[in-house]
Amino acid sequence: MSEARIWHGGDLDEARRLFPRAPEPWIDLSTGINPIAYPVPPLPASLFERLPLPAEHRDLEAAAAEAYGATDPAMVVAAPGTQVLISLLPHLRPRSRVAVLGPTYAEHAHSWRKAGHDVADVATVDRLDGTDVLVVVNPNNPDGRLLKRETLLRLAEDLRSRGGWLVVDEAFADFEPGESLVPVLPSNAVVLRSFGKTYGLAGLRTGFALAPEPVATRLRSALGPWAVSGPAMETGRKALRDREWLEAARSARAADASRLDDLLRSVADAPLRGTILYRLLESPRAPELFQVLGEHGIWVRRFQYSPRLLRFGLPGTEMEWQRLETALARFF
């Protein structure tokens, strides 16, 4: 029996299949990626012509340690995107009882199940008796739920008493960093950080795990040599150290999120939720709105587990804002 396909953002092939008469170019609001990307620096041809140097790899991990508040660069593992790390982590433990706090990014539960673990989707973290691994996306995708650092530390301590792990996916934490677990990382916790979402450069496929030394060493071994490309290393090192750009982007995208809320509020059946990079709308009319937006060439994120939900990323240009506003006006 073939596996059920997991819906992801960014699938414009599917958008064109569903709405073959929609106007081009499509506006892709389905991903939660910063629509105003970090300006890629000039890259010398040599980065494409030779293998990356170990010193460049170490410097990328040092830049990530600085950016995320890690106490030691040795705990940082650079990878070709966090999805690879999500897929690898389940293979570093024997068969375990895994709880995934959800609903959330579906690849976490899928990856642990695929590796042979016993996986339960849980709605709260109040009772975790018998759990060996707890996976938390913080802030959560898609609703923006945020667990306090104190809560995460308590959960990690509970898991440590029975040899368990806490895995925290902080893919959207760069713009909302207050509760990051990285600066106080427990010895049995692994934190995942995405580069492409915040910096708008998802195509570089760069991400990081921050983990205690034994887990970090095993992840590096599983990834093998030259896991990250030279151009990605060079761009990542510069971007992660550009704090001025990050602060300006945080402020600008927060204003965009507020503008998006103003557009969506009248159709929402509940308070809008999410993070700075995406907003989650709940309404019984969500399927109808998805259809109208698709016919106008605007692709948003729908969810297999709830037809009442749509997630909206941020438009990147004034033309995109105007097209969205026009489509919403026609929906009303």
Side-chain angles (χ1 to χ4, degrees), residues 1-256:
M1 180 182 297
S2 61
E3 296 180 4
R5 186 175 71 88
I6 296 175
W7 291 355
H8 290 296
D11 190 354
L12 289 183
D13 287 342
E14 179 68 2
R16 292 185 176 100
R17 186 187 70 81
L18 290 176
F19 303 102
R21 298 183 183 86
E24 297 273 359
W26 275 85
I27 299 174
D28 187 3
L29 304 183
S30 67
T31 65
I33 295 168
N34 187 346
I36 311 297
Y38 184 81
V40 177
L43 298 173
S46 60
L47 290 176
F48 298 88
E49 297 166 352
R50 61 171 173 79
L51 291 171
L53 299 175
E56 294 167 336
H57 191 101
R58 289 193 297 270
D59 193 49
L60 173 64
E61 293 177 338
E66 296 163 16
Y68 303 142
T71 57
D72 183 358
M75 69 196 307
V76 181
V77 180
T82 50
Q83 181 56 54
V84 170
L85 297 165
I86 290 171
S87 299
L88 282 177
L89 279 173
H91 296 279
L92 303 188
R93 282 189 65 95
R95 183 172 179 174
S96 302
R97 292 159 296 184
V98 181
V100 179
L101 182 61
T104 193
Y105 182 57
E107 287 290 346
H108 284 289
H110 175 70
S111 294
W112 287 92
R113 285 192 179 102
K114 190 175 180 181
H117 299 273
D118 300 316
V119 180
D121 297 294
V122 300
T124 72
V125 291
D126 295 336
R127 294 184 60 84
L128 296 173
D129 299 340
T131 298
D132 302 310
V133 178
L134 172 62
V135 180
V136 177
V137 179
N138 208 47
N140 190 46
N141 176 9
D143 61 10
R145 177 199 62 229
L146 189 65
L147 296 189
K148 296 290 187 181
R149 182 185 289 172
E150 291 79 7
T151 300
L152 295 172
L153 290 172
R154 174 180 58 79
L155 292 167
E157 184 60 31
D158 180 44
L159 290 160
R160 178 170 30 228
S161 67
R162 51 182 178 274
W165 285 2
L166 174 64
V167 178
V168 183
D169 183 344
E170 295 185 352
F172 290 97
D174 286 353
F175 286 159
E176 304 177 42
E179 303 301 331
S180 174
L181 198 60
V182 173
V184 291
L185 190 71
S187 61
N188 65 323
V190 179
V191 174
L192 305 176
R193 295 294 288 252
S194 169
F195 173 80
K197 293 179 178 63
T198 298
Y199 293 90
L201 297 172
L204 280 182
R205 307 310 304 133
T206 306
F208 302 92
L210 296 101
E213 188 276 334
V215 177
T217 297
R218 293 178 68 192
L219 278 174
R220 288 195 184 92
S221 177
L223 286 166
W226 310 299
V228 181
S229 72
M233 285 185 192
E234 181 68 12
T235 305
R237 292 189 299 161
K238 285 183 165 35
L240 288 166
R241 291 187 168 115
D242 194 341
R243 308 308 290 175
E244 182 177 348
W245 181 90
L246 184 66
E247 291 305 316
R250 177 186 290 119
S251 178
R253 298 296 79 75
D256 289 342

